[in-house]
């Protein structure tokens, strides 16, 4: 057996920031070297950020990525790290993009990994399995690789794989077994989903058994538009033993001494496998000397509980959206209700109270207890709190327009949106909208009113989970000896938009404990009407809910981006036509039935 000191760098790159991302790699490679590492790995497409989406089609960006990799290799050597093998994800190409008229079959853009050593690229691997589901469109962008690069590092045969390769049987991991490798490096840009960490470890164990080798799994961390990455990097032996596991939602250097089988004597031979994959062998020269200090043992951390995990994901997604897009602060309507209270608490946790503005926008229908709850939350969290009554503005509209009923309700919401956007323009804040996933699903919102904003931290959070998160966050504050941020009355009172006298959500919608299970089955689970009824839901209620969901697609298409935490978030995960007369009961859609107007 041979011992290698591995370093997995769980870092937070920014899409398109080639210079900044290269600096991250150099800084963390230095930290790894200072910890005595002999092999270092960074996540998928760290050099370019991930996902790069249609930047792939720009030859200028492609060439910049390749040049940045070459420059990075030289810079690492100049930093005195030339003898340290560094695995880096980057964007490569061996031909024009497949959308180009002069594209060549089997050539094009590549999701690639490179092993850098001694100032140059020693080996390159192109991702074999390209995901084409959910948020992933890699068949649109990349051409799959058919070659497995095996590099002899310190007497151990090491191979490189990328993300989706781990999720599929066969391909690179089967080839790794046939090549008798001792270690598989798997670099990842694997977005967070609730309970995905429960799936990840068993999956890595299955692939380790398939490859007959230890797997070093490194995942990125941070927010990128709707996506958030939680890290959760780990090392698992061929026998399934978990050696080390990194924390979630923070950058982290995981260093661990791994005992690996020594490579066979003699020069290895390149081989062609029956499934069409080729195995090519490479060898690097000297490594950093094995440390004589005590052995390195990485942390072995357990994933967080569900509510804690979701809260951390939402905080990180919001923070990175604001900071990476260079907004200095955020503003939101603070009604005293549960949704805006949770968003305000998230914003304060993400950015600090000095970067959060909460605005109470009372009308004549706003209850005294809601105003008090909004003020109380502001006092508890320390955010910048303001009161801007909307009734005089609403009355001016009503004096000049003949409106009644729902039109007046929507007018109030739109006046609030205008005020928030005016504050955004005047003071430079990003407007946060606060509609939860249940409301988005059934269209319970006003276009250009309560839906106004540039980012929605709770867009992918069901209403029932909103309450769970509020209770968890308050309980966590008590555990820490702090003041709970959310007033108890905001959690316990019946939800209401307060746009008309005595209004409650339940006047229009089913109770959320009945509504959410139907929505989860229909949206996240893709169950049809029959499947939902078989699951025990009332047929009349199913018909009502599905009708509301189907007729609200046009609203969702205009909604702000928000952090994805579920298996199927609105937006890139779920793509349905707006103009669509298919209905689950088999009847064509009529013209009526839109909830809440527009």
């Amino acid at each position: 057996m041979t011992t290698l000191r591995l370093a997995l760098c769980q870092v937070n790159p920014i899409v398109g920031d080639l210079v900044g991302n290269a600096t991250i790699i150099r800084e963390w490679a230095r930290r790894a070297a200072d910890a005595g590492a002999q092999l270092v790995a960074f996540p998928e497409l760290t050099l370019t950020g991930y996902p790069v989406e249609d930047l792939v089609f720009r030859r200028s960006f492609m060439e910049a990525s390749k040049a940045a990799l070459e420059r990075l290799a030289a810079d690492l050597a100049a930093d005195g790290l030339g003898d340290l093998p560094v695995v880096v994800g980057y964007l490569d190409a061996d031909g024009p993009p497949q959308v180009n008229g002069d594209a060549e079959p089997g050539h094009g853009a590549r999701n690639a990994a490179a092993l850098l050593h001694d100032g140059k690229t020693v080996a390159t691997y192109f991702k074999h399995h390209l995901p084409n589901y959910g948020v992933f469109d890699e068949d649109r962008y990349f051409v799959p690789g058919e070659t497995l690069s095996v590099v002899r590092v310190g007497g151990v045969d090491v191979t490189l794989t990328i993300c989706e390769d781990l999720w599929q049987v066969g391909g690179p991991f089967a080839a790794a077994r046939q090549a008798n490798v001792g270690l598989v490096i798997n670099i990842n840009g694997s977005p967070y989903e609730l309970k995905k960490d429960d799936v990840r470890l068993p999956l890595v164990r299955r692939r380790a058994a398939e490859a007959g080798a230890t797997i070093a799994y490194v995942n990125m961390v941070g927010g990128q538009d709707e996506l958030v990455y939680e890290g959760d990097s780990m090392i698992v032996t061929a026998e399934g033993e978990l050696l080390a596991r990194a924390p979630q939602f923070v950058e982290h250097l995981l260093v661990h001494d791994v005992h690996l089988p020594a490579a066979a004597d003699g020069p290895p031979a390149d081989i062609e496998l029956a499934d069409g994959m080729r195995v090519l062998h490479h060898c690097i020269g000297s490594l950093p000397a094995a440390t004589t200090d005590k052995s390195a043992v990485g942390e072995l951390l357990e994933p967080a509980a569900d509510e804690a995990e979701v809260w951390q994901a939402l905080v990180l997604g919001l923070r990175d959206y604001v900071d990476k897009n260079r907004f200095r602060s955020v503003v939101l309507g603070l009604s005293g209700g549960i949704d805006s209270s949770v968003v305000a608490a998230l914003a304060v946790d993400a950015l600090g109270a000095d970067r959060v503005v909460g605005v109470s926008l009372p009308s004549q229908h706003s209850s005294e207890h809601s105003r008090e709850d909004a003020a109380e939350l502001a006092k508890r969290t320390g955010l910048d709190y303001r009161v801007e009554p909307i009734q005089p503005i609403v009355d001016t509209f009503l004096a000049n327009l003949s409106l009644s009923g729902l039109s007046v309700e929507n007018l109030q919401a739109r006046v609030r949106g205008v005020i928030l956007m005016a504050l955004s323009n005047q003071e430079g804040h990003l407007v946060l909208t606060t509609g939860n996933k249940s409301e988005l699903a059934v269209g319970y919102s006003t276009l250009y009113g309560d839906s106004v904003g540039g980012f929605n931290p709770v867009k992918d959070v069901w209403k029932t989970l909103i309450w769970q998160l509020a209770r968890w966050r308050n309980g966590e504050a008590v555990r820490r000896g702090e003041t709970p941020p959310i007033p108890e009355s905001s959690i316990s009172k019946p939800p209401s938009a307060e746009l008309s006298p005595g209004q409650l959500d339940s006047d229009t919608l089913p109770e959320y404990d009945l509504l959410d299970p139907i929505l989860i089955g229909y949206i996240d689970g893709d169950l049809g009407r029959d499947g939902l009824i078989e699951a025990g839901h009332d047929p009349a209620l199913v018909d009502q809910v599905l009708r509301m969901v189907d007729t609200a697609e046009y609203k969702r298409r205009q909604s702000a981006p928000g952090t994805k935490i579920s298996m199927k978030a609105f937006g890139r995960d779920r793509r349905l036509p707006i103009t669509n007369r298919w209905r689950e009961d088999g009847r064509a859609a009529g013209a009526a039935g839109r909830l809440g107007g527009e």
Side-chain angles (χ1 to χ4, degrees):
M1 300 292 283
T2 298
T3 299
L4 278 180
R5 181 164 292 186
L6 301 183
L8 305 183
C9 298
Q10 187 171 286
V11 296
N12 186 352
I14 299 177
V15 166
D17 187 4
L18 298 175
V19 173
N21 295 339
T23 299
I24 289 172
I25 293 167
R26 292 170 66 185
E27 290 175 349
W28 284 73
R30 167 55 63 191
R31 291 180 58 185
D34 291 346
Q38 296 172 292
L39 177 61
V40 183
F42 288 85
E44 180 177 10
L45 291 179
T46 299
L47 190 55
T48 58
Y50 181 77
V52 291
E53 299 184 325
D54 282 12
L55 287 173
V56 167
F57 299 139
R58 297 189 188 176
R59 295 193 184 186
S60 58
F61 187 69
M62 189 74 69
E63 292 305 317
S65 172
K66 294 162 68 174
L69 182 76
E70 184 177 342
R71 190 162 53 249
L72 174 62
D75 287 343
L76 287 169
D79 292 341
L81 302 174
D83 61 344
L84 178 63
V86 177
V87 177
V88 176
Y90 74 107
L91 183 63
D92 203 341
D94 56 4
Q98 287 297 301
V99 296
N100 195 287
D102 56 357
E104 309 167 47
H107 297 270
R110 306 283 194 168
N111 185 335
L115 191 147
L116 308 179
H117 186 258
D118 197 23
K120 59 183 181 296
T121 299
V122 173
T124 299
Y125 170 78
F126 297 150
K127 190 173 184 177
H128 179 71
H129 291 299
L130 301 178
N132 197 43
Y133 54 85
V135 300
F136 302 107
D137 293 306
E138 295 209 0
D139 266 349
R140 168 183 169 90
Y141 298 120
F142 302 118
V143 175
E146 302 294 342
T147 300
L148 189 74
S149 292
V150 177
V151 186
R152 187 154 293 179
V153 179
V156 177
D157 282 344
V158 179
T159 193
L160 313 179
T161 60
I162 302 176
C163 203
E164 185 71 13
D165 294 332
L166 185 83
W167 291 80
Q168 306 295 331
V169 175
F173 283 86
R177 173 177 283 276
Q178 295 182 64
N180 295 313
V181 305
L183 174 67
V184 179
I185 301 288
N186 183 249
I187 65 173
N188 291 264
S190 181
Y192 170 77
E193 293 174 10
L194 178 59
K195 299 187 183 298
K196 193 174 187 179
D197 55 349
D198 298 334
V199 175
R200 185 175 288 128
L201 177 56
L203 176 68
V204 176
R205 282 175 167 148
R206 291 197 298 273
R207 290 299 161 265
E210 182 180 6
T214 294
I215 294 178
Y217 171 101
V218 58
N219 192 24
M220 70 172 56
V221 68
Q224 170 58 35
D225 295 345
E226 301 100 326
L227 304 181
V228 65
Y229 305 93
E230 86 266 38
D232 196 28
S233 303
M234 65 184 74
I235 302 172
V236 176
T237 69
E239 295 73 33
E241 180 185 0
L242 178 63
L243 299 179
R245 191 169 191 174
Q248 297 172 287
F249 304 108
V250 293
E251 292 187 297
H252 186 76
L253 179 67
L254 179 63
V255 181
H256 192 86
D257 288 343
V258 184
H259 307 296
L260 301 164
D265 292 335
D270 297 336
I271 56 175
E272 185 94 25
L273 302 179
D275 64 359
M277 289 202 76
R278 292 179 298 147
V279 178
L280 300 181
H281 288 83
H282 312 267
C283 187
I284 65 174
S286 61
L287 291 180
T291 180
T292 56
D293 298 337
K294 63 180 182 179
S295 61
V297 179
E299 299 89 340
L300 196 54
L301 300 177
E302 289 292 327
D306 286 353
E307 290 85 0
E309 188 179 279
V310 169
W311 192 271
Q312 291 177 77
L314 297 175
V315 164
L316 180 57
L318 173 57
R319 179 189 299 131
D320 274 5
Y321 190 86
V322 171
D323 289 346
K324 289 182 179 181
N325 288 292
R326 297 174 177 168
F327 291 101
R328 61 177 183 163
S329 53
V330 298
V331 62
L332 70 148
L334 195 57
S335 68
I338 186 64
D339 297 321
S340 66
S341 297
V342 165
V343 171
L346 284 167
V348 170
D349 282 0
L351 305 171
D354 60 329
R355 298 177 66 190
V356 181
V357 178
V359 185
S360 173
L361 298 155
S363 74
Q364 64 178 341
H365 303 301
S366 298
S367 63
E368 188 63 31
H369 65 77
S370 289
R371 301 184 197 196
E372 291 173 354
D373 288 343
E376 177 64 19
L377 182 141
K379 179 181 176 182
R380 294 183 183 200
T381 60
L383 59 75
D384 180 354
Y385 180 62
R386 309 177 191 180
V387 179
E388 297 286 350
I390 68 168
Q391 198 59 48
I393 303 174
V394 171
D395 289 343
T396 301
F397 273 98
L398 293 178
N400 291 275
L401 291 171
S402 179
L403 302 177
S404 62
L406 185 60
S407 298
V408 177
E409 293 184 26
N410 287 342
L411 173 62
Q412 295 169 69
R414 290 188 175 117
V415 168
R416 287 175 172 139
V418 167
I419 292 172
L420 292 174
M421 289 307 303
L423 290 172
S424 170
N425 295 154
Q426 183 70 23
E427 301 176 7
H429 312 296
L430 171 68
V431 178
L432 301 182
T433 185
T434 62
N436 60 71
K437 190 173 184 178
S438 305
E439 293 173 349
L440 286 167
V442 297
Y444 193 61
S445 64
T446 301
L447 279 178
Y448 326 120
D450 56 317
S451 64
V452 75
F455 194 77
N456 183 351
V458 295
K459 180 179 183 178
D460 199 29
V461 183
W462 300 111
K463 183 75 169 191
T464 47
L465 181 54
I466 289 280
W467 277 306
Q468 293 174 31
L469 292 175
R471 294 186 182 99
W472 174 85
R473 181 61 183 86
N474 278 1
E476 183 68 6
V478 171
R479 187 184 69 81
R480 296 176 188 171
E482 301 169 353
T483 301
I486 302 172
E488 178 57 34
S489 55
S490 292
I491 301 173
S492 60
K493 66 187 175 187
S496 169
E498 294 192 332
L499 296 172
S500 62
Q503 184 183 47
L504 296 174
D505 288 9
S506 57
D507 297 339
T508 306
L509 302 177
E511 295 290 348
Y512 285 107
D513 59 351
L514 297 175
L515 175 63
D516 277 3
I518 296 175
L519 294 175
I520 291 168
Y522 188 47
I523 293 164
D524 287 355
D526 279 323
L527 289 178
R529 178 179 186 273
D530 292 344
L532 291 166
I533 293 171
E534 288 174 8
H537 300 294
D538 177 72
L541 187 58
V542 168
D543 289 340
Q544 176 192 356
V545 171
L546 268 54
R547 183 168 56 253
M548 290 190 290
V549 172
D550 291 345
T551 56
E553 190 63 38
Y554 77 111
K555 288 189 178 182
R556 289 191 292 273
R557 192 71 66 89
Q558 300 178 67
S559 63
T563 302
K564 166 185 165 66
I565 63 162
S566 73
M567 64 185 298
K568 187 163 287 188
F570 290 129
R572 290 166 52 183
D573 265 336
R574 186 177 187 269
R575 311 175 198 184
L576 290 173
I578 295 174
T579 305
N580 171 24
R581 292 194 177 180
W582 167 254
R583 294 295 179 263
E584 280 294 321
D585 60 7
R587 294 177 293 181
R594 297 203 183 280
L595 175 65
E598 298 175 350

